[in-house]
């Protein structure tokens, strides 16, 4: 079990700097977390420490840095969603929702799927509403996996995939996404490495397209390769598509792997309201799958949260049906932010990699001469006043993330411009 955990999870070394650092601003008497305090944390969670996102946001606040670390907008979502949620509260929708979701939201999700030309689905049999995509990810992993099973995960990864796999007592096999080669435009993976990651114990592969943190959109050819391996070996695709509406370049369209031939009954597609509608704090998400896979998702969901906030599900249905061109406006804002930030970072001596979607871009900081990503980000927060994320925590092989830094551009234009002004100090 311990050996398994070592393979399954990222090692904690180095992160204690962030996790346990004392800060002069901590109020006296606050519970402190000391290195020597005996831990009550279960073994499977110990390697993860505290979330890098929370830590960077805390440091950003402490140093009054412009926070381009955590992926949340610094503005509000569409009024139609808020009004519908408030009306639902006033109308007394205050009790537990149906386990699989409030019918009006399941219907809106199915409608959107159909309107995108992805086929007809049954809102009750194929859709499960979850508390954010995060809960959807955990439901898939804990609901599907048995101890000893393997899950293929591309690195860098959204950290829930690895933690969720550990919760299930299963193991991750990592496949690297490499920065674009000279002359290349996209992060890429090695086909042989992907093929080699499949073993007789492989139960699932996590596909996150559009991809956090690289801004990569997997191409049809790449998805077809993944699909062919899944079909050959009866491996389930867990497809995290939370950024599907935030595509900035028509040359890289979003494709749901579930729509490839043969994949409908082998895929669980996850999505949520948060990224598209700037409502990350609402934590309303959903899983779309055939009844057999839906049963696995619900097996966990019914004991994880049982159901998701009732009034917010009404608000979510309104967002999906009535928000008009909200997503288009966000694409315009974010792609403009991305361009401005990319230019400023390039001017500051970083090598910026192209991002075609999401809230994020990745850049190589090595020309600036810092030891690693953490040292660079620490300098950035404390001396420049801009917070970013050191991405080695998103890698199993930390050395792959060490030259890189992740910036979030899902902010008001003024916020990004203020960060750009400060970056001139670099
Ligand atoms: N998947 C990815 C790839 C993400 O980047 C995030 C949020 N950072 C999530 C899932 C979580 O989504 P939610 O807020 O809906 O739980």
């Amino acid at each position: 079990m311990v050996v398994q955990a070592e393979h399954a999870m990222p090692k904690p070394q180095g992160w204690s700097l962030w996790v346990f650092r004392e800060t002069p601003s901590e109020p006296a008497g606050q519970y402190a977390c000391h290195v020597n305090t005996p831990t009550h944390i279960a073994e499977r969670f110990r390697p993860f420490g505290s979330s890098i996102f929370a830590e960077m946001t805390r440091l950003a606040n402490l140093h009054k840095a412009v926070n381009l670390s955590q992926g949340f907008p610094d503005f509000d979502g569409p009024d139609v969603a808020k009004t519908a949620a408030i009306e639902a509260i006033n109308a007394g929708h205050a009790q537990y929702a149906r386990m699989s979701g409030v019918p009006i939201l399941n219907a809106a999700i199915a409608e959107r799927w159909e309107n995108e030309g992805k086929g007809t689905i049954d809102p009750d049999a194929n859709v499960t509403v979850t508390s954010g995509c995060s809960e959807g990810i955990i439901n898939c992993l804990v609901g599907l996996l048995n101890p000893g099973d393997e899950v293929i995960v591309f690195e860098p990864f959204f950290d829930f995939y690895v933690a969720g796999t550990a919760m299930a007592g299963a193991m991750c096999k990592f496949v690297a996404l490499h920065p674009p080669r000279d002359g290349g435009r996209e992060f890429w993976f090695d086909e042989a490495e992907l093929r080699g990651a499949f073993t007789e114990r492989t139960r699932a592969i996590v596909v996150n397209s559009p991809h956090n943190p690289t801004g990569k959109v997997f191409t049809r050819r790449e998805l077809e390769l993944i699909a062919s391996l899944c079909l050959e070996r009866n491996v389930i695709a867990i497809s995290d598509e939370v950024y599907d509406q935030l595509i900035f370049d028509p040359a890289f369209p979003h494709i749901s792997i579930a729509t490839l031939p043969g994949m409908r009954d082998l895929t669980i597609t996850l999505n949520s309201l948060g990224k598209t509608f700037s409502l990350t704090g609402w934590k309303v998400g959903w899983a779309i799958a055939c009844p057999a896979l839906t049963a696995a998702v619900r097996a966990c969901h019914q004991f994880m949260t049982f159901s998701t906030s009732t009034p917010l599900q009404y608000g979510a249905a309104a967002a999906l049906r009535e928000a008009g061109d909200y997503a288009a406006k966000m694409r315009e804002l974010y792609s403009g932010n991305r361009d401005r930030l990319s230019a400023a970072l390039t001017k500051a001596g970083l090598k910026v990699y192209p991002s075609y979607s999401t809230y994020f871009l990745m850049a190589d900081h090595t020309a600036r001469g810092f030891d690693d990503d953490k040292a660079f980000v620490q300098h950035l927060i404390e001396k420049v006043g801009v917070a970013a994320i050191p991405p080695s925590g998103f890698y199993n092989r930390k050395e792959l993330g060490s030259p890189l830094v992740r910036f979030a551009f899902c902010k008001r234009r003024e916020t990004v411009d203020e960060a750009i002004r400060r970056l001139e100090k670099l």
Side-chain angles (χ1 to χ4, degrees), residues 213-227:
T214 63
K216 173 183 173 62
V217 183
F218 281 61
T219 63
R220 183 172 290 277
R221 208 195 64 77
E222 288 169 333
L223 293 174
E224 279 172 356
L225 171 66
I226 296 167

Side-chain angles (χ1 to χ4, degrees), residues 216-271:
K216 173 183 173 62
V217 183
F218 281 61
T219 63
R220 183 172 290 277
R221 208 195 64 77
E222 288 169 333
L223 293 174
E224 279 172 356
L225 171 66
I226 296 167
S228 71
L229 291 164
C230 288
L231 287 162
E232 209 174 284
R233 295 163 177 267
N234 205 26
V235 164
I236 295 152
I238 300 170
S239 186
D240 176 346
E241 305 183 8
V242 291
Y243 299 101
D244 67 339
Q245 304 296 310
L246 300 176
I247 295 281
F248 309 137
D249 187 335
F252 292 94
H254 170 68
I255 298 163
S256 290
I257 192 167
T259 63
L260 298 187
M263 286 303 287
R264 196 193 59 181
D265 291 347
L266 214 47
T267 304
I268 303 171
T269 304
L270 301 173
N271 210 322

Side-chain angles (χ1 to χ4, degrees), residues 19 22 42 56 75 92 122 150 199 219 222 305 309 317 330 343 422:
V19 175
E22 301 285 345
M56 289 301 112
F75 52 87
D122 180 327
E150 291 177 3
T199 73
T219 63
E222 288 169 333
T305 56
S309 165
M330 291 304 105
R422 294 182 183 202

Side-chain angles (χ1 to χ4, degrees), residues 57-302:
T57 293
R58 192 185 68 79
L59 285 177
N61 292 339
L62 180 64
H63 293 282
K64 299 193 171 34
V66 179
N67 191 357
L68 303 188
S69 63
Q70 203 171 356
F72 59 80
D74 55 353
F75 52 87
D76 218 350
D79 285 343
V80 278
K82 291 195 289 181
T83 306
I86 292 163
E87 280 174 5
I89 290 174
N90 288 333
H93 292 295
Q95 310 310 328
Y96 296 126
R98 185 176 66 165
M99 187 266 269
S100 61
V102 167
I104 191 179
L105 177 56
N106 293 56
I109 292 163
E111 231 169 71
R112 181 164 97 155
W113 185 261
E114 285 169 35
N115 291 343
E116 288 170 342
K118 295 176 181 172
T120 306
I121 54 172
D122 180 327
D124 298 330
N126 299 127
V127 179
T128 307
V129 174
T130 59
S131 297
C133 177
S134 307
E135 195 221 325
I137 294 166
I138 302 300
N139 290 342
C140 289
L141 294 165
V142 175
L144 282 172
L145 301 174
N146 289 309
D149 284 347
E150 291 177 3
V151 182
I152 298 174
V153 173
F154 290 95
E155 58 177 338
F157 44 73
F158 177 53
D159 50 4
F160 267 66
Y161 309 146
V162 185
T165 303
M167 284 187 214
M171 290 171 57
C172 284
K173 278 287 192 78
F174 297 97
V175 175
L177 287 174
H178 300 282
R181 289 175 270 216
D182 284 340
R185 295 176 65 200
E186 308 148 57
F187 276 77
W188 58 279
F189 62 87
D190 180 37
E191 181 174 333
E193 192 187 348
L194 177 66
R195 285 184 183 281
F198 281 81
T199 73
E200 70 284 357
R201 304 195 127 203
T202 308
R203 181 101 170 92
I205 178 167
V206 180
V207 182
N208 170 215
S209 179
H211 182 259
N212 169 13
T214 63
K216 173 183 173 62
V217 183
F218 281 61
T219 63
R220 183 172 290 277
R221 208 195 64 77
E222 288 169 333
L223 293 174
E224 279 172 356
L225 171 66
I226 296 167
S228 71
L229 291 164
C230 288
L231 287 162
E232 209 174 284
R233 295 163 177 267
N234 205 26
V235 164
I236 295 152
I238 300 170
S239 186
D240 176 346
E241 305 183 8
V242 291
Y243 299 101
D244 67 339
Q245 304 296 310
L246 300 176
I247 295 281
F248 309 137
D249 187 335
F252 292 94
H254 170 68
I255 298 163
S256 290
I257 192 167
T259 63
L260 298 187
M263 286 303 287
R264 196 193 59 181
D265 291 347
L266 214 47
T267 304
I268 303 171
T269 304
L270 301 173
N271 210 322
S272 78
L273 202 68
K275 310 296 180 181
T276 307
F277 296 105
S278 319
L279 294 168
T280 59
W282 280 31
K283 299 296 279 186
V284 178
W286 54 89
I288 296 174
C290 67
L293 290 175
T294 293
V297 170
R298 291 182 186 174
C300 178
H301 172 66
Q302 67 180 337

